[in-house]
Each structure stands twice: as structure tokens, then as C-alpha cells.
Amino acid sequence: MFEDPSYPLRSLRHKFADLMVNKTGTAAILSAVMASGTLGGGGYMIADEMTDNQTTEFTEAAYTQYSGNIAQLEEQYKTSVGALTTRIENGDFRGSGIQELNSERYKALESFKEEAGGVLASILLNPALSESQAEELMSRFEEHTIPAKDVHPCLEIEDYGFLREARAEASLENNGVTSTLSDIHYSVSRDANDKFEILPIMLFGMLFAFLPMMMESNRKLRDLARQKPERRVKPKH
């Protein structure tokens, strides 16, 4: 996968500026940030890639469809895997032994994973859904059934704020669903880890870099806040 080594820094600069200008309404909050000493908590807020709410003309229909899909999966899980699990846990072996019930539950679970895998993959790959909507749908599925990573490891997304960029990058480099999801999972995991690795150095560096700018003029800071950076992709030859 093509690496964009400058993206973490550019993203961090944008988030810092956005926090200072848009979230607080004034750049004067810098002094409070520096004085607070809460590098871990405050730094996480600056570095964290917030989920977007970008929509298209197809968003409403897609969200409605996936909501129905999730509801169907919840019902399938409840009446098959869930019901068999309850029987096993309660010792209800009427008409079947525990081994038969365990075998039946395993088959039901595998069938459920197969059905769920297609739905969850489509949610992560559909650009009509905002990052917030994708996270909401995946969380709803996990709340009433099983973790997405148990359906397939590549369905686990550590930070949905990185989903859109990772999906766009992976879609350019892959044709198959499995390989695309694998690259998305890797890319999001990498970026989620990067924000913590670079945080101690970047935070202090940016505080000092922005201090003169904020003392002279807020225009550059506002420009950075408006322009969300895009990950550079490998050029086509």
C-alpha cells in the first residue's frame, strides 16, 4: 500500500487549527492548553480524527436499507444462535444431547457469520454513508449479536474517523472485496497507532510553531482549519 508519510502531520495541523478556531471560537485558548499540563487527554482531542457526517443523494436510502439489514441479522441471531446458546446454558437437552446442540449452534453461528459478513462489508465500503453512520450501524450490530471482528478480522475498525480516506486509498489499489477490506483495516490501524506515536513530539512542536502565528494573525490558522487534508495516493503510470 502506498504510504503518505506527511499525512499524519498535515492531519494533526488541521485538527489543531480546527480545535482552536471552530471548537473554541478563539485562538486565545492556547494559553489554557499549555498551562493545563494534560498532554494525554488534551493531545488525544487534537490528534483524534473525528468521524465525518458527509452525505450524498443516496445516503438516506442506503442508511434505511442497512438499518433493515441489521434488524434482520439481530432477529436471525436471536432465534438461532441465541436460542441454542440459552438452551445449552440452561441444560435444556430435550430431544437432543449437549453435543448435538453444540454442533447445531456451531452451524447456526457459521451461517450467521456468512450472512452478516456481506452486510457489514457493504456498510464499510459504501461511500454514501457518513463515517458516523457506518460506526453507528456497526455498533448496533455488535450490541445485539457478536463483535464484527468475530465475523471477520478485517471488519474491525479501530477509529472510524480514518475510514473514508482509508477506503478511498484501498479502492484504488484493489479489485476484490476481501483485499480492499484488508487494506482498509491495515490503514486505519496504522493511522490510529500513528496519532499516539507522534503525539508527544508533534504537540509541543506545533504549540511553539503556532504561537508566533497566533500572536500576529489568526488568518493562517483559520485557513488550516478550513482545509481538511487529503491523503496522497500513488500516481497512476
Side-chain angles (χ1 to χ4, degrees):
M1 178 180 292
F2 176 74
E3 298 286 350
D4 181 2
S6 68
Y7 178 77
L9 175 58
R10 290 185 287 112
S11 179
L12 187 57
R13 291 175 60 194
H14 163 72
K15 287 302 174 183
F16 180 90
D18 184 56
L19 178 68
M20 295 299 104
V21 175
N22 299 323
K23 302 298 190 297
T24 66
T26 175
I29 194 67
L30 176 62
S31 58
V33 174
M34 295 180 68
S36 67
T38 55
L39 176 61
Y44 177 82
M45 292 175 61
I46 295 173
D48 191 26
E49 189 79 3
M50 302 299 292
T51 54
D52 69 43
N53 291 297
Q54 296 181 29
T55 59
T56 72
E57 59 182 310
F58 307 108
T59 297
E60 184 177 356
Y63 183 79
T64 300
Q65 175 188 329
Y66 292 128
S67 293
N69 294 151
I70 295 297
Q72 292 174 358
L73 288 172
E74 290 175 356
E75 183 64 21
Q76 178 183 346
Y77 183 86
K78 179 181 177 181
T79 57
S80 59
V81 182
L84 289 167
T85 300
T86 299
R87 286 189 61 184
I88 294 171
E89 291 177 345
N90 292 340
D92 180 5
F93 304 140
R94 290 171 296 177
S96 303
I98 187 171
Q99 291 186 347
E100 287 79 7
L101 285 179
N102 276 324
S103 177
E104 189 176 348
R105 181 187 181 281
Y106 174 80
K107 292 179 181 178
L109 181 59
E110 291 304 304
S111 177
F112 172 77
K113 288 180 180 180
E114 184 175 352
E115 291 289 332
V119 174
L120 299 186
S122 184
I123 289 174
L124 296 180
L125 295 175
N126 194 332
L129 294 176
S130 69
E131 292 173 337
S132 296
Q133 289 174 322
E135 182 176 24
E136 177 192 335
L137 290 167
M138 297 291 283
S139 297
R140 190 188 308 172
F141 170 84
E142 294 183 319
E143 182 179 356
H144 299 291
T145 59
I146 59 177
K149 65 180 180 180
D150 290 349
V151 177
H152 194 285
C154 290
L155 293 172
E156 180 183 26
I157 301 297
E158 292 185 34
D159 190 328
Y160 283 84
F162 293 110
L163 176 60
R164 188 175 300 278
E165 291 83 358
R167 181 178 57 221
E169 180 181 348
S171 297
L172 289 174
E173 300 181 356
N174 298 279
N175 294 320
V177 172
T178 301
S179 59
T180 302
L181 285 174
S182 178
D183 275 7
I184 290 174
H185 173 77
Y186 167 79
S187 180
V188 171
S189 298
R190 177 199 62 203
D191 290 340
N193 290 331
D194 283 349
K195 71 182 181 184
F196 291 109
E197 292 178 359
I198 67 173
L199 185 58
I201 296 176
M202 291 297 185
L203 181 60
F204 282 112
M206 288 185 61
L207 288 177
F208 286 108
F210 277 117
L211 184 56
M213 180 192 308
M214 295 169 68
M215 293 175 65
E216 296 174 2
S217 171
N218 291 337
R219 185 172 58 185
K220 292 182 179 180
L221 197 62
R222 289 195 298 270
D223 289 342
L224 283 172
R226 283 195 297 266
Q227 300 172 2
K228 183 176 181 180
E230 297 183 0
R231 189 188 302 280
R232 300 188 181 105
V233 299
K234 181 169 57 179
K236 296 292 184 179
H237 296 288

